[in-house]
Amino acid sequence: MAALIRENEVATAISPEKMFKVFVLEDSIIIPKIIPVIKSIEIIEGNGGPGTIKKTTFVEGSEVKYVKNRIDAIDKDNFIHNYTTIEGALWSDTLEKISYEIKLVPASNGGSIAKSVSKYYAKGDAKIDEEQIKAGEQQILTMFKVIETYLLANPDAY
């Protein structure tokens, strides 16, 4: 199974510690409060470590009803979070899964840089729609920026 691999970097004014806490460690508590289209994030299997499966449920009327992500690796000290989307996304007819490797590194301004590698695995010989991939990446970037904006406006919130 061949994979389409995409790499991205996004700078944020938020420290790696705070962004990792909000985006990874306490996502089920914080993100549904900040991102209006997300109804809930819940652990449906596991204890939060590798092998854990989280289900993100979107509000009624959303294009996507839910997605399930499996945590593959989590390193709280080095701000590394690897996970795989295994179910529920719009692309389920053409993609087997999407694996994400994310690392937050300190930036010179006190913020951080999110470095990510995304691997898109096609089902059989299905063709991967790169425009759909770009649209999905834009949605993730938008969510990341909404969290950043919220944290900048509410520096003591988390």
Side-chain angles (χ1 to χ4, degrees):
M1 161 177 19
L4 170 68
I5 300 172
R6 298 197 28 107
E7 296 182 26
N8 289 294
E9 284 191 11
V10 178
T12 176
I14 308 301
S15 71
E17 296 85 0
K18 187 175 270 193
M19 189 56 92
F20 196 79
K21 178 181 179 183
V22 171
F23 207 69
V24 178
L25 300 177
E26 297 183 13
D27 60 343
S28 63
I29 299 165
I30 300 167
I31 290 179
K33 294 177 184 177
I34 299 172
I35 309 292
V37 297
I38 296 179
K39 182 177 179 180
S40 65
I41 299 173
E42 60 185 318
I43 291 176
I44 59 172
E45 184 178 313
N47 62 4
T52 295
I53 297 179
K54 289 185 176 184
K55 180 180 181 183
T56 301
T57 303
F58 296 88
V59 297
E60 192 170 321
S62 296
E63 194 173 11
V64 176
K65 303 291 182 221
Y66 73 92
V67 293
K68 288 184 182 176
N69 294 312
R70 181 190 65 234
I71 297 173
D72 299 318
I74 190 164
D75 182 340
K76 297 172 189 174
D77 297 326
N78 294 301
F79 313 115
I80 297 171
H81 182 226
N82 298 347
Y83 67 97
T84 301
T85 299
I86 56 173
E87 185 180 316
L90 291 175
W91 43 258
S92 59
D93 56 335
T94 57
L95 292 177
E96 173 94 17
K97 63 183 178 180
I98 304 172
S99 295
Y100 301 92
E101 301 169 6
I102 300 167
K103 182 173 184 171
L104 292 165
V105 296
S108 60
N109 65 356
S112 57
I113 299 169
K115 297 181 176 192
S116 67
V117 176
S118 305
K119 298 176 183 174
Y120 300 85
Y121 296 89
K123 280 186 176 177
D125 56 358
K127 184 175 179 341
I128 296 174
D129 182 342
E130 289 199 50
E131 291 306 312
Q132 192 176 31
I133 299 300
K134 289 177 186 175
E137 288 175 346
Q138 187 59 47
Q139 290 174 335
I140 292 170
L141 175 61
T142 298
M143 185 171 77
F144 192 81
K145 289 300 184 180
V146 167
I147 292 168
E148 176 188 43
T149 300
Y150 179 85
L151 292 173
L152 289 172
N154 301 282
D156 298 325
Y158 300 99

